[in-house]
Amino acid sequence: MQLLCVSGLIAQNPIIQTHYSPDPAPMVYKGTVYLYTGDDIPGFDFYYMTKWRVHSSSDMVNWTDHGSPISLESFSWARDRAWASQCIERNGKFYWYICAQTVQNNMAIGVAVSDKPTGPFIDALGKPLIITGSWSNIDPTVYIDDDGQAYLYWGNGSSYYVKLNKDMISYSGDIVEVAQTVETFGGVRRPKNSGAQSAGQVTPNKDMYVEGPWFYKRNGKYYLMYAGMSKSVESLSYSMSDNPTGPWKYKGKIMTDQPTNSFTNHGGIIDFKGKSYLFYHTGLLPGGGSYGRSTAIEEFKYNPDGTIPAILMTKAGIKPVGTLDPYIRVEAETFAWSEKCSIDQSAAMGVFITKIRTGGYVKVCEVEFGNTGPKKFSAAIAAGLDGGVLEVHVDSLKGSKLTSIEIPRTGGWDKWKQISATVDATVTGRHDIYFLFKGQNITAGRELYNFDYWKFER
Ligand code: FUB
């Protein structure tokens, strides 16, 4: 049977379905987008978060889960609230700026460092980089200007910046507070202690700076995007300047009054492979909400004068900008969409798919099989019990079956075996493929197996 190229995309937002992924901070490095996020905990009633996560993609739709390289436990001075973060590369080292509640009961900004974008990271200082006794020290954003000067902006309610030294873990000069006026941020800051949730009620202005800054430069212009205020929830608003330290000029709302199902919004903007993207978060993953937020992405085009158009949220998300090679080892935790499975990590195996239930699947987009199709498929699996089946289909859940593997007990949920099968259909060209998780006489209930990587051979 010869399968034709029918690659179709339906929904890409939210881009990660296996866990919550709030406060997205994308970083482009050597042809790959690394996405640093927080980790909202299911079922909680506030932003009580304990760790941060990393994903990566070279095509913007298939995201590889790199697990959680840092948590509150990585910072001896941190007690609670692993809130928004951003990572940047300088001279081959990666500096991940985070904020957390300190043992002194305020918020502070720290920095972890690594030789790789996915870690391991260690606390660079063993103490906070920015600590002033204020609750406002949250949401760091960092940018290195063309002249090598790095800037760190941050702040909730108030906006601050410092000039970082070349070592990226210290700063020179004073912490500067950015003036908040109608001119700079569309409105004045809310009165102290009014509380974030009531912010919509206290500003008579069209907008204001609330939190979540994202600082960058493009075509000689500096941008400061931030969570502003719409009627009752946060908007994504922005200001521009000709200088890295302002004066800032308010430019309007990028995303506002969207049915995001989340009080907060928090975004990042990048250019990648010739396109511009807005990352933001919503509470639209099933079970989500203001305390269960997930990253979504929209593509946009800057206006000729460098301003940013209004952007609407979509379920469809964005189109791929690359293909995936199925003839090299592909981590199973690389996919565009998933259902009825989860992600875990171990010291021995790294990150893998777990809690696989019957009826679940992962979808991998834009798989390029080339002119000569595969003859063999293999997958690394661990199963403490038998009764699991892994099927590979093309183009849809009900598309033609390429191959399937009946999964035996491997000796334990952490005893991995590479299992192979012949490919029953001829598939060439570019396709989406679906890994379907099924049970033999197990129609619901218990988990079936763990899945670490796969590969096709010609
Ligand atoms: O995720 C916790 C906090 O909510 C962030 O630090 C803010 O930007 C808001 O998104």
Side-chain angles (χ1 to χ4, degrees), residues 92-111:
K93 287 203 180 294
F94 297 85
Y95 299 90
W96 193 352
Y97 299 85
I98 59 92
C99 62
Q101 185 180 351
T102 71
V103 293
Q104 289 86 25
N105 212 23
N106 47 46
M107 293 298 287
I109 291 169
V111 54

Side-chain angles (χ1 to χ4, degrees), residues 18-174:
T18 41
H19 47 77
Y20 295 124
S21 52
D23 301 327
M27 176 187 78
V28 178
Y29 180 69
K30 291 192 174 170
T32 297
V33 179
Y34 293 88
L35 175 65
Y36 300 81
T37 72
D39 181 63
D40 284 350
I41 303 172
F44 274 60
D45 57 359
F46 191 61
Y47 309 102
Y48 296 120
M49 299 135 75
T50 62
K51 56 181 184 268
W52 294 268
R53 290 180 174 271
V54 187
H55 293 75
S56 72
S57 177
S58 55
D59 57 29
M60 292 296 286
V61 294
N62 295 307
W63 289 91
T64 302
D65 194 323
H66 298 284
S68 167
I70 51 171
S71 68
L72 290 174
E73 289 152 42
S74 313
F75 302 91
S76 59
W77 49 269
R79 163 181 284 170
D80 203 348
R81 301 187 189 188
W83 285 6
S85 70
Q86 187 182 346
C87 188
I88 197 166
E89 182 267 347
R90 181 164 202 161
N91 297 332
K93 287 203 180 294
F94 297 85
Y95 299 90
W96 193 352
Y97 299 85
I98 59 92
C99 62
Q101 185 180 351
T102 71
V103 293
Q104 289 86 25
N105 212 23
N106 47 46
M107 293 298 287
I109 291 169
V111 54
V113 64
S114 174
D115 294 328
K116 290 193 291 182
T118 52
F121 283 86
I122 55 159
D123 183 359
L125 293 167
K127 61 179 183 179
L129 172 65
I130 305 288
I131 181 161
T132 61
S134 165
W135 282 95
S136 189
N137 293 329
I138 71 168
D139 297 358
T141 178
V142 59
Y143 180 77
I144 304 169
D145 208 346
D146 303 333
D147 63 1
Q149 178 62 58
Y151 298 86
L152 186 77
Y153 274 81
W154 74 94
N156 170 292
S158 304
S159 166
Y160 305 97
Y161 73 83
V162 287
K163 290 184 178 178
L164 292 172
N165 294 329
K166 285 205 170 73
D167 63 9
M168 301 297 277
I169 59 171
S170 62
Y171 61 89
S172 293
D174 293 332

Side-chain angles (χ1 to χ4, degrees), residues 350-402:
V351 179
F352 55 90
I353 303 182
T354 189
K355 295 202 168 51
I356 285 173
R357 278 101 69 207
T358 202
Y361 69 95
V362 299
K363 170 189 177 183
V364 182
C365 286
E366 302 289 286
V367 178
E368 180 53 77
F369 286 101
N371 295 329
T372 313
K375 295 270 180 285
K376 187 178 162 191
F377 171 76
S378 52
I381 302 283
L385 296 167
D386 55 11
V389 180
L390 175 64
E391 291 184 358
V392 189
H393 292 241
V394 276
D395 298 327
S396 75
L397 286 170
K398 293 186 175 159
S400 299
K401 184 163 72 175
L402 282 185

Side-chain angles (χ1 to χ4, degrees), residues 377-432:
F377 171 76
S378 52
I381 302 283
L385 296 167
D386 55 11
V389 180
L390 175 64
E391 291 184 358
V392 189
H393 292 241
V394 276
D395 298 327
S396 75
L397 286 170
K398 293 186 175 159
S400 299
K401 184 163 72 175
L402 282 185
T403 187
S404 73
I405 292 174
E406 284 183 19
I407 292 159
R409 292 180 190 222
T410 61
W413 299 104
D414 60 349
K415 299 287 181 242
W416 295 89
K417 276 199 176 142
Q418 192 163 315
I419 306 172
S420 300
T422 55
V423 174
D424 304 324
T426 303
V427 58
T428 57
R430 194 179 303 174
H431 295 266
D432 294 346

